[in-house]
Amino acid sequence: MKAKRIFKLSLWVIFGLLVIMTFVFLYKKAQPQATIYSVETVTRVPSIQRSIILTGKIAPRNEVMIVPQLNGIIAEIMKKPGDLVKAGDIIARIKVVPEMGSVNQSESQVEIAKIALDEAEQKYKIATELHQQGIVAEEEYATTKANYLQAKERLASAKDAYNIVLTGMSQRNAQGSTTLVRSTVDGTILDIPVKEGNSVIQANSFNAGTTIATIADMTEMIFIGKVDEVDIARVATGLPVTVRIGAIEGSAFSGVVEYISPKTIQQQQGTQYELKAAITIDDYSRIRSDMSANAELITDQVSNVLAVPEGALQFEGDKVYVEVVTSDADPKHLQTERREIKTGISNGSLIEVKSGLKEGEKVKGTPVAA
């Protein structure tokens, strides 16, 4: 009996201990935990920059579209994309398909010129005989001779015009043949969108003409991007940019904004403005037209300033405060005093301190542990 009583008493003691431990655990759990905050030092930094990132592409400053001077069919293509050309180099040759209306008109002009020449020649012969006899004055003879020579020139011009309409070739100036499509600038051929056998038309008042080739100077490239409406007030010509091409690892080219469109571009992602920046590239061997690129545009910058992490700031209306640490002996119970400060620009992590703090002072930061 005694052993049984001792056993029961032991069970009650154990049960009592468990109840007490449970209450202690719940009590501690209900107590507020001390939060440990980081302590940030007010430091002087070389610079703080505020920037925006623009998406866009790399493109030549000037692209020239080469179009034919007549209608016809591509007979031969002498160049290919990627070739370097000089102004005057032949890119393609066109076989002329004469227009019957133009042919008939040119033939008529030749016949009219022949009739005018025959008449002028007869008058010149008569004037020559009379001049030799002293009957016609020198002035009248000179006029008749000039009319005769002009008639010969008009016939030659009419025949050459007829030949150009018919064949595209000028008998007087083979270099100026309209059947030969020549480059008008020095540069690299970016594209030849036609093939041999394609029909082409010349530029006129109603049509831009068929593009035979696109040529550009690949040693003068620009960045073309778009600026969101919310950022446009921070952007101005002359601001520096750093351009990075996604396809070229580690690329970083410096540049300067030289153009901002005065007119918006309405797109699905919102209202945007076109921006162009001249960039400096040392090695063009890996650069291709229309490569995708990003540009970091520095909109604001200050140098040699005091700074604190943005997480240390407290805001009330239009005022900014920090908790200046007076004692950090106990990390769980920092002693601080609240102080109003004036701030400047921020780069997203650090913010400029204009007044209210001194270098080396410490401020209460963000929670790091409990």
Side-chain angles (χ1 to χ4, degrees):
M1 289 292 293
K2 187 176 180 179
K4 186 177 292 185
R5 289 177 61 188
I6 293 173
F7 177 74
K8 287 182 178 180
L9 182 61
S10 298
L11 289 177
W12 280 107
V13 170
I14 293 173
F15 176 75
L17 290 174
L18 289 174
V19 171
I20 292 172
M21 291 175 63
T22 300
F23 275 106
V24 170
F25 173 77
L26 292 176
Y27 174 78
K28 289 185 175 181
K29 195 75 173 176
Q31 296 302 307
Q33 299 294 318
T35 302
I36 299 177
Y37 289 86
S38 64
V39 176
E40 308 292 349
T41 303
V42 181
T43 57
R44 186 170 295 277
V45 296
S47 69
I48 296 179
Q49 298 176 343
R50 183 165 60 178
S51 62
I52 57 177
I53 303 298
L54 309 179
T55 59
K57 64 179 182 178
I58 298 296
R61 179 178 295 279
N62 296 307
E63 291 187 13
V64 177
M65 308 297 182
I66 306 299
V67 297
Q69 301 178 45
L70 47 69
N71 302 331
I73 296 173
I74 298 293
E76 185 180 6
I77 296 177
M78 286 81 160
K79 301 291 183 181
K80 65 181 183 298
D83 286 351
L84 294 174
V85 294
K86 296 287 187 181
D89 287 354
I90 300 173
I91 299 174
R93 182 172 60 84
I94 298 175
K95 178 182 178 182
V96 175
V97 179
E99 182 183 1
M100 294 310 299
S102 298
V103 171
N104 291 336
Q105 185 177 3
S106 295
E107 285 181 338
S108 177
Q109 293 296 325
V110 171
E111 293 302 320
I112 292 172
K114 284 181 178 179
I115 294 172
L117 177 59
D118 289 342
E119 182 181 355
E121 186 177 10
Q122 290 297 324
K123 290 182 178 181
Y124 174 62
K125 287 180 179 181
I126 295 172
T128 300
E129 292 178 0
L130 295 175
H131 179 261
Q132 291 174 352
Q133 297 173 14
I135 300 175
V136 173
E138 184 68 31
E139 184 179 353
E140 185 178 349
Y141 169 73
T143 301
T144 305
K145 182 178 180 180
N147 292 338
Y148 167 65
L149 294 176
Q150 289 175 6
K152 286 182 66 175
E153 178 62 27
R154 282 193 288 269
L155 177 59
S157 296
K159 287 181 176 180
D160 198 51
Y162 172 72
N163 195 60
I164 291 174
V165 170
L166 199 62
T167 66
M169 298 290 291
S170 171
Q171 293 179 341
R172 294 184 165 191
N173 182 14
Q175 288 294 321
S177 171
T178 54
T179 62
L180 301 178
V181 180
R182 299 176 184 271
S183 173
T184 58
V185 295
D186 298 347
T188 302
I189 297 180
L190 301 182
D191 185 30
I192 298 181
V194 295
K195 297 180 180 180
E196 293 181 0
N198 285 163
S199 296
V200 295
I201 59 174
Q202 68 185 71
N204 53 54
S205 302
F206 306 100
N207 196 300
T210 304
T211 299
I212 302 295
T214 304
I215 301 176
D217 181 0
M218 295 295 288
T219 63
E220 190 174 4
M221 308 293 285
I222 61 174
F223 169 80
I224 303 175
K226 295 178 177 62
V227 185
D228 288 333
E229 185 179 19
V230 294
D231 296 320
I232 195 64
R234 297 163 53 194
V235 179
T237 56
L239 290 178
V241 297
T242 300
V243 178
R244 294 177 173 83
I245 301 176
I248 302 178
E249 185 176 354
S251 62
F253 307 109
S254 60
V256 176
V257 176
E258 63 178 17
Y259 169 80
I260 303 170
S261 172
K263 181 177 175 60
T264 60
I265 303 171
Q266 297 291 338
Q267 296 190 338
Q268 291 182 351
Q269 57 267 44
T271 302
Q272 296 181 318
Y273 294 81
E274 185 180 64
L275 175 145
K276 295 180 181 179
I279 57 177
T280 302
I281 300 176
D282 296 327
D283 181 11
Y284 291 88
S285 60
R286 297 183 296 169
I287 304 298
R288 299 291 183 271
S289 179
D290 295 337
M291 276 185 158
S292 297
N294 292 328
E296 182 181 10
L297 176 60
I298 300 172
T299 58
D300 298 286
Q301 179 174 332
V302 290
S303 301
N304 192 29
V305 295
L306 295 179
V308 294
E310 278 199 353
L313 304 184
Q314 300 174 4
F315 299 93
E316 284 188 12
D318 58 352
K319 294 184 178 181
V320 182
Y321 297 89
V322 292
E323 296 286 342
V324 179
V325 177
T326 57
S327 174
D328 58 354
D330 183 1
K332 291 185 179 181
H333 300 89
L334 295 175
Q335 296 182 24
T336 64
E337 63 177 21
R338 200 168 191 232
R339 188 185 301 174
E340 182 181 358
I341 65 172
K342 299 295 182 182
T343 58
I345 69 170
S346 168
N347 61 9
S349 58
L350 292 177
I351 188 166
E352 173 193 6
V353 177
K354 291 185 173 182
S355 64
L357 290 173
K358 297 179 181 179
E359 185 176 358
E361 285 190 305
K362 297 179 179 180
V363 297
K364 181 180 176 181
T366 55
V368 294

